Amino acid sequence: MKKGNYDIMKVISVREHSQYARQAIAYFQKRWATPDSMAVYEDCIIHCIGSDSPLPQWYLLMDDERIVGCAGLITNDFISRHDLWPWICALYIEEADRGHNYAKLLIEQAENDARKAGYKNVYIATDHIGYYEHFGAEYIATGYHPWNDSSRIYRIALA
């Protein structure tokens, strides 16, 4: 992976910068939602603003005013392992911006927020093999989704 120019990238917490809520909703819906799940992203992002709970968190990765990527930190990523949380979810980097390790910025923000909230680990449900290991993730199990599919579960220990 090429090293990106981290100085120009900024991770925005939608919780802390509610003026980005509509942009975040549209972006997450465009990148992750199905017609049946559009409202899930809108409702969850809207209700994280002003919440006393440390979860959920929603992040945008910005290059000036252009959204480069996104991620979330949530209680469950539609997976059978309800005994594990929080989950880094919906990680996405625009294709034109891939290869610069920008995902690291989003993952680090989620890790920092999870650590501040007192969590010892974060989890990721994915089909990618060999990607999250670059960020210190360890494969721990297989989990099952309500739509009759499964994903690998990774854990990142928070020091």
Side-chain angles (χ1 to χ4, degrees):
M1 263 182 233
K2 298 178 273 185
K3 185 175 181 190
N5 186 353
Y6 296 155
D7 294 335
I8 63 171
M9 296 295 168
K10 183 176 181 182
V11 177
I12 301 290
S13 165
V14 178
R15 177 186 291 240
E16 295 172 12
H17 300 277
S18 61
Q19 69 270 26
Y20 287 92
R22 287 287 154 208
Q23 281 180 276
I25 291 164
Y27 190 79
F28 278 92
Q29 287 175 331
K30 179 180 177 184
R31 294 299 176 219
W32 290 106
T34 66
D36 293 333
S37 66
M38 297 289 276
V40 171
Y41 287 97
E42 180 172 14
D43 197 47
C44 191
I45 291 169
I46 290 295
H47 287 98
C48 83
I49 297 166
S51 173
D52 292 335
S53 173
L55 301 174
Q57 293 276 355
W58 297 96
Y59 311 106
L60 295 174
L61 181 62
M62 307 290 291
D63 177 1
D64 194 24
E65 291 300 312
R66 182 176 70 91
I67 300 174
V68 173
C70 64
L73 184 66
I74 61 175
T75 56
N76 187 275
D77 198 7
F78 302 105
I79 196 137
S80 57
R81 294 297 302 271
H82 289 257
D83 57 316
L84 306 174
W85 71 86
W87 295 81
I88 295 174
C89 72
L91 179 67
Y92 186 85
I93 300 294
E94 290 294 325
E95 285 190 38
D97 297 292
R98 293 179 186 171
H100 299 283
N101 205 21
Y102 290 143
K104 179 179 180 180
L105 298 170
L106 290 160
I107 291 170
E108 286 177 346
Q109 183 65 52
E111 289 175 345
N112 289 338
D113 285 343
R115 194 177 293 108
K116 280 187 232 173
Y119 297 106
K120 296 184 186 322
N121 301 293
V122 292
Y123 300 90
I124 302 164
T126 185
D127 296 330
H128 295 290
I129 299 171
Y131 181 73
Y132 289 100
E133 290 87 341
H134 295 288
F135 305 105
E138 169 191 22
Y139 170 74
I140 61 166
T142 298
Y144 302 92
H145 300 288
W147 51 87
N148 199 27
D149 202 0
S150 64
S151 290
R152 295 171 63 88
I153 296 174
Y154 288 85
R155 175 181 53 219
I156 298 176
L158 304 175

